[in-house]
Structure formats: structure tokens, C-alpha cells
Amino acid sequence: MATFTFFHEFKKFLGDSTIDLDSHTFKAVLTNTAPTVGTDDQLADITEIANGFGYTTGGVTLSSVTWLETGAGLGVWRWNAADFTWTASGGSIGPFRYIVIYDDTAAGDELVGYYDYGTNITITDGNAFTVDIGTNGIFELS
């Protein structure tokens, strides 16, 4: 399973309402360049992989995004979304190692965090790569 890391500025953006977890549109992009958590704060700081063969610059839109308490009075909040997929067609997608999530509604396409898969991945023609969000969502805050 890939590890999820927050960008440092995400905490500021969450606190000052630049990012709104339950009403904004979020997207995920692929990169093979390691993000810098301390200084990257907008999508323009990320080097996306090349457009084509089933990958579109700007990434895929996350669906079924929710920001909900895991149970009444528990004080644990979960940010969740449906699994999402890229399918290679006419050639390969990648290589990539990181999947970066950003806020597409925020004026600067501010960054949330990224998954690090620990190794390069290439999606070969006709195959798909699905990000399995899992039962605990993208992240939980308690």
C-alpha cells in the first residue's frame, strides 16, 4: 500500500479555508518527480507525466468526496473518495511513482498531499491502474 504524505502548506490552506474538504472539487495527477512537502504548494510546482495514451494533463476528478465524522461524538473525521483509475490506450502511461491530490476549485490549485508507491509504475497499453482508497479514506484527523 502506498503511503500518503501531506504538503506542509495544506494545513494552512485548511485552516484559512482556501481548501474546503466538503465542497470543493479535487483531482489527482501522476508524476515521477518527487514532490517537496516543505515548498510545493500549488499544482504548478508539480511536474506531471506527459499527456497521452489515457492520461490527461490536470488528472482525474475525484468522485464521491466526503468529509464526515466516523461516528457521532467520536471526534475522528475522515476525508474519503471513491477509488479512481487510469487506463492506458494506444500506448503506455508513465512511468510514475507519485499520485498528487490537489484542490481544483482553489484559485491556485493548492496541493493536499500525495501517495508514494515506492517504485516506478508503468501502465501498459490496454491495462488499468486503480487507486484503492480503502476503508479509512484518504486520511483521518482525530
Coordinates of all heavy atoms in Angstrom, one line a residue, residues 4 6 10 14 19-27 61-71 76-84 101 112 115 133-141:
F4 N 0.6 8.0 2.3 CA 0.1 9.3 2.0 C 0.8 10.3 2.8 O 1.0 10.1 4.0 CB -1.4 9.4 2.2 CG -2.0 10.6 1.8 CD1 -2.3 10.8 0.4 CD2 -2.3 11.7 2.7 CE1 -2.9 12.0 0.0 CE2 -2.9 12.9 2.3 CZ -3.2 13.0 0.9
F6 N 1.1 14.6 3.6 CA 0.5 15.9 3.5 C 1.6 16.9 3.0 O 2.7 16.9 3.5 CB 0.0 16.5 4.8 CG -1.2 15.7 5.3 CD1 -1.2 14.9 6.4 CD2 -2.5 15.9 4.7 CE1 -2.3 14.2 6.8 CE2 -3.6 15.3 5.1 CZ -3.5 14.4 6.2
F10 N -0.7 22.6 3.2 CA -2.1 22.1 3.2 C -2.8 22.5 4.6 O -3.9 22.9 4.6 CB -2.2 20.6 3.0 CG -3.5 20.0 3.4 CD1 -4.6 20.2 2.7 CD2 -3.6 19.2 4.6 CE1 -5.9 19.7 3.1 CE2 -4.8 18.7 5.0 CZ -5.9 18.9 4.2
L14 N -6.1 24.6 4.8 CA -7.3 24.0 5.5 C -7.8 25.0 6.6 O -9.0 25.3 6.7 CB -7.0 22.7 6.1 CG -8.1 21.9 6.7 CD1 -9.2 21.6 5.6 CD2 -7.6 20.6 7.3
I19 N -8.8 25.8 1.1 CA -9.3 24.4 0.8 C -10.5 24.1 1.7 O -10.4 24.3 2.9 CB -8.2 23.4 1.0 CG1 -7.0 23.6 -0.1 CG2 -8.7 22.0 0.9 CD1 -5.9 22.6 0.1
D20 N -11.5 23.6 1.0 CA -12.8 23.2 1.7 C -13.0 21.8 1.4 O -13.4 21.4 0.2 CB -13.9 24.1 1.3 CG -15.2 23.8 2.1 OD1 -15.3 22.7 2.6 OD2 -16.0 24.7 2.2
L21 N -12.8 20.9 2.3 CA -12.8 19.4 2.0 C -14.2 18.9 1.6 O -14.2 17.8 1.0 CB -12.2 18.7 3.2 CG -10.8 18.9 3.6 CD1 -10.4 18.2 4.9 CD2 -9.9 18.4 2.4
D22 N -15.2 19.6 2.0 CA -16.5 19.0 1.7 C -17.3 19.7 0.6 O -18.4 19.3 0.3 CB -17.4 18.9 3.0 CG -17.7 20.2 3.7 OD1 -17.3 21.2 3.2 OD2 -18.4 20.1 4.7
S23 N -16.7 20.8 0.0 CA -17.5 21.4 -1.1 C -16.7 21.7 -2.4 O -17.2 22.0 -3.4 CB -18.1 22.7 -0.6 OG -17.1 23.7 -0.4
H24 N -15.3 21.5 -2.3 CA -14.5 21.8 -3.5 C -14.4 20.6 -4.3 O -14.7 19.4 -3.9 CB -13.1 22.3 -3.0 CG -13.1 23.7 -2.6 ND1 -12.0 24.4 -2.3 CD2 -14.1 24.6 -2.4 CE1 -12.3 25.6 -1.9 NE2 -13.6 25.8 -1.9
T25 N -13.9 20.8 -5.6 CA -13.6 19.7 -6.5 C -12.1 19.4 -6.4 O -11.2 20.3 -6.4 CB -13.9 20.1 -7.9 OG1 -15.3 20.3 -8.0 CG2 -13.5 19.0 -8.9
F26 N -11.8 18.1 -6.2 CA -10.4 17.6 -6.1 C -10.0 16.7 -7.3 O -10.8 16.0 -7.8 CB -10.2 16.9 -4.8 CG -10.4 17.8 -3.6 CD1 -11.6 18.1 -3.1 CD2 -9.3 18.5 -3.1 CE1 -11.8 18.9 -2.0 CE2 -9.5 19.4 -2.0 CZ -10.7 19.6 -1.5
K27 N -8.7 16.8 -7.6 CA -8.2 16.0 -8.7 C -6.9 15.3 -8.3 O -6.3 15.7 -7.3 CB -8.0 16.8 -10.0 CG -9.2 17.3 -10.6 CD -8.9 18.0 -12.0 CE -10.2 18.3 -12.7 NZ -9.9 18.8 -14.1
T61 N -10.7 13.6 -11.9 CA -11.5 14.2 -10.9 C -11.9 13.1 -9.9 O -12.4 12.1 -10.3 CB -12.8 14.9 -11.5 OG1 -12.4 15.9 -12.4 CG2 -13.6 15.5 -10.4
L62 N -11.7 13.4 -8.6 CA -12.2 12.5 -7.5 C -13.7 12.6 -7.4 O -14.3 13.7 -7.5 CB -11.5 12.8 -6.2 CG -10.1 12.3 -6.0 CD1 -9.1 12.8 -7.0 CD2 -9.6 12.6 -4.6
S63 N -14.3 11.5 -7.2 CA -15.8 11.5 -7.1 C -16.2 11.0 -5.7 O -15.4 10.4 -5.0 CB -16.4 10.6 -8.2 OG -16.0 9.2 -8.0
S64 N -17.4 11.2 -5.3 CA -18.0 10.8 -4.0 C -17.1 11.3 -2.9 O -16.9 10.5 -1.9 CB -18.1 9.3 -4.0 OG -19.0 8.8 -5.1
V65 N -16.6 12.5 -3.0 CA -15.8 13.1 -1.9 C -16.6 13.4 -0.7 O -17.7 14.1 -0.8 CB -15.0 14.3 -2.4 CG1 -14.2 14.9 -1.3 CG2 -14.1 13.9 -3.6
T66 N -16.2 13.0 0.5 CA -16.9 13.3 1.7 C -15.9 13.7 2.8 O -14.8 13.2 2.8 CB -17.8 12.1 2.2 OG1 -16.9 11.0 2.4 CG2 -18.9 11.8 1.2
W67 N -16.4 14.5 3.7 CA -15.7 14.9 4.9 C -16.6 14.7 6.1 O -17.5 15.6 6.3 CB -15.2 16.4 4.8 CG -14.5 16.9 6.0 CD1 -14.9 18.0 6.7 CD2 -13.3 16.5 6.6 NE1 -14.0 18.3 7.7 CE2 -13.0 17.4 7.7 CE3 -12.4 15.4 6.4 CZ2 -11.9 17.2 8.6 CZ3 -11.3 15.3 7.3 CH2 -11.1 16.1 8.3
L68 N -16.6 13.6 6.8 CA -17.6 13.2 7.7 C -16.9 12.6 9.0 O -15.9 12.0 8.9 CB -18.5 12.1 7.2 CG -19.3 12.5 5.9 CD1 -20.0 11.2 5.4 CD2 -20.4 13.5 6.3
E69 N -17.6 12.8 10.1 CA -17.2 12.2 11.4 C -17.5 10.7 11.3 O -18.5 10.3 10.8 CB -17.9 12.8 12.6 CG -17.3 12.5 13.9 CD -17.9 13.3 15.0 OE1 -19.0 13.9 14.9 OE2 -17.3 13.3 16.1
T70 N -16.5 9.9 11.8 CA -16.7 8.4 11.6 C -17.8 7.9 12.5 O -18.3 6.8 12.3 CB -15.3 7.7 12.0 OG1 -15.0 8.1 13.3 CG2 -14.3 8.1 11.0
G71 N -18.2 8.6 13.5 CA -19.3 8.2 14.4 C -19.6 9.4 15.3 O -18.7 10.2 15.7
V76 N -13.3 11.8 15.3 CA -12.5 11.3 14.3 C -13.1 11.7 13.0 O -14.2 11.2 12.7 CB -12.2 9.8 14.4 CG1 -11.3 9.4 13.2 CG2 -11.5 9.5 15.7
W77 N -12.5 12.5 12.1 CA -13.0 12.9 10.9 C -12.3 12.3 9.7 O -11.0 12.2 9.8 CB -13.0 14.4 10.8 CG -14.0 15.1 11.7 CD1 -13.8 15.3 13.0 CD2 -15.2 15.5 11.4 NE1 -14.9 15.8 13.6 CE2 -15.8 16.0 12.5 CE3 -15.9 15.6 10.2 CZ2 -17.1 16.6 12.6 CZ3 -17.2 16.2 10.2 CH2 -17.8 16.6 11.4
R78 N -13.0 11.8 8.7 CA -12.4 11.1 7.6 C -12.7 11.8 6.3 O -13.9 12.1 6.0 CB -13.0 9.7 7.5 CG -12.5 8.8 6.4 CD -13.1 7.4 6.4 NE -12.7 6.7 7.6 CZ -13.5 5.9 8.2 NH1 -14.7 5.6 7.8 NH2 -13.1 5.3 9.3
W79 N -11.7 12.0 5.5 CA -11.8 12.5 4.2 C -11.8 11.4 3.2 O -10.8 10.6 3.2 CB -10.8 13.6 3.9 CG -11.1 14.4 2.6 CD1 -12.2 15.1 2.4 CD2 -10.2 14.6 1.5 NE1 -12.1 15.7 1.2 CE2 -10.9 15.4 0.6 CE3 -8.9 14.2 1.2 CZ2 -10.4 15.9 -0.6 CZ3 -8.4 14.6 0.0 CH2 -9.1 15.4 -0.9
N80 N -12.8 11.2 2.4 CA -12.9 10.0 1.6 C -13.3 10.3 0.2 O -13.8 11.4 -0.1 CB -14.0 9.1 2.3 CG -13.8 7.6 2.0 OD1 -13.0 7.2 1.2 ND2 -14.5 6.8 2.7
A81 N -13.1 9.4 -0.7 CA -13.5 9.5 -2.1 C -13.6 8.1 -2.7 O -13.1 7.1 -2.1 CB -12.5 10.3 -2.9
A82 N -14.2 8.0 -3.8 CA -14.3 6.7 -4.5 C -12.9 6.4 -5.1 O -12.1 7.3 -5.4 CB -15.3 6.8 -5.6
D83 N -12.7 5.1 -5.3 CA -11.5 4.7 -6.0 C -11.4 5.3 -7.4 O -12.5 5.6 -7.9 CB -11.5 3.1 -6.2 CG -11.4 2.4 -4.9 OD1 -11.1 3.0 -3.8 OD2 -11.6 1.1 -4.9
F84 N -10.3 5.6 -7.9 CA -10.2 6.2 -9.2 C -9.1 5.4 -10.1 O -8.2 4.8 -9.5 CB -9.9 7.7 -9.2 CG -8.8 8.1 -8.3 CD1 -7.5 8.3 -8.9 CD2 -9.0 8.3 -7.0 CE1 -6.5 8.7 -8.1 CE2 -7.9 8.8 -6.2 CZ -6.6 9.0 -6.7
I101 N -2.7 14.8 -5.0 CA -4.1 15.3 -4.9 C -4.1 16.8 -4.7 O -3.3 17.3 -3.8 CB -4.9 14.6 -3.8 CG1 -5.0 13.0 -4.1 CG2 -6.3 15.2 -3.7 CD1 -5.6 12.2 -3.1
V112 N -2.9 19.1 -1.6 CA -3.3 18.4 -0.4 C -2.2 17.5 0.1 O -1.7 17.7 1.2 CB -4.6 17.6 -0.6 CG1 -5.0 16.9 0.7 CG2 -5.8 18.6 -1.0
Y115 N 0.4 10.3 -2.7 CA 0.7 8.9 -2.4 C 2.1 8.6 -3.1 O 2.4 8.9 -4.2 CB -0.3 7.9 -3.1 CG -1.6 8.0 -2.4 CD1 -2.7 8.7 -3.0 CD2 -1.9 7.2 -1.3 CE1 -3.9 8.7 -2.4 CE2 -3.1 7.2 -0.7 CZ -4.2 7.9 -1.3 OH -5.4 7.9 -0.7
I133 N -8.8 3.5 -2.4 CA -8.8 4.5 -1.3 C -8.8 3.7 0.1 O -8.2 4.2 1.0 CB -10.0 5.4 -1.4 CG1 -9.9 6.3 -2.6 CG2 -10.1 6.3 -0.1 CD1 -8.6 7.2 -2.7
G134 N -9.5 2.6 0.1 CA -9.5 1.8 1.4 C -10.6 2.3 2.3 O -11.2 3.4 2.2
T135 N -10.8 1.5 3.4 CA -11.9 1.8 4.3 C -11.6 3.0 5.2 O -12.6 3.6 5.8 CB -12.1 0.6 5.2 OG1 -10.9 0.2 5.9 CG2 -12.6 -0.6 4.4
N136 N -10.4 3.4 5.4 CA -10.1 4.6 6.2 C -10.0 5.9 5.5 O -9.6 6.9 6.0 CB -8.8 4.4 7.1 CG -9.0 3.3 8.1 OD1 -10.1 3.1 8.6 ND2 -8.0 2.6 8.3
G137 N -10.4 5.9 4.2 CA -10.4 7.1 3.4 C -9.0 7.5 3.0 O -8.0 6.8 3.2
I138 N -8.9 8.7 2.4 CA -7.6 9.2 2.1 C -6.8 9.6 3.3 O -5.7 9.3 3.4 CB -7.8 10.5 1.2 CG1 -8.5 10.0 -0.1 CG2 -6.5 11.1 0.9 CD1 -9.0 11.2 -1.0
F139 N -7.5 10.2 4.3 CA -6.9 10.4 5.6 C -8.0 10.6 6.7 O -9.1 10.9 6.4 CB -5.9 11.6 5.6 CG -6.5 12.9 5.3 CD1 -7.1 13.7 6.4 CD2 -6.5 13.5 4.1 CE1 -7.7 14.9 6.1 CE2 -7.1 14.7 3.8 CZ -7.6 15.5 4.9
E140 N -7.5 10.5 7.9 CA -8.4 10.8 9.1 C -7.7 11.8 10.0 O -6.5 11.7 10.1 CB -8.7 9.5 9.9 CG -9.6 8.5 9.1 CD -9.9 7.3 10.0 OE1 -9.2 7.0 11.0 OE2 -10.9 6.6 9.6
L141 N -8.5 12.6 10.6 CA -7.9 13.5 11.6 C -8.7 13.3 12.9 O -9.9 13.1 12.9 CB -8.2 15.0 11.2 CG -7.4 15.5 10.0 CD1 -7.8 17.0 9.7 CD2 -5.9 15.4 10.2

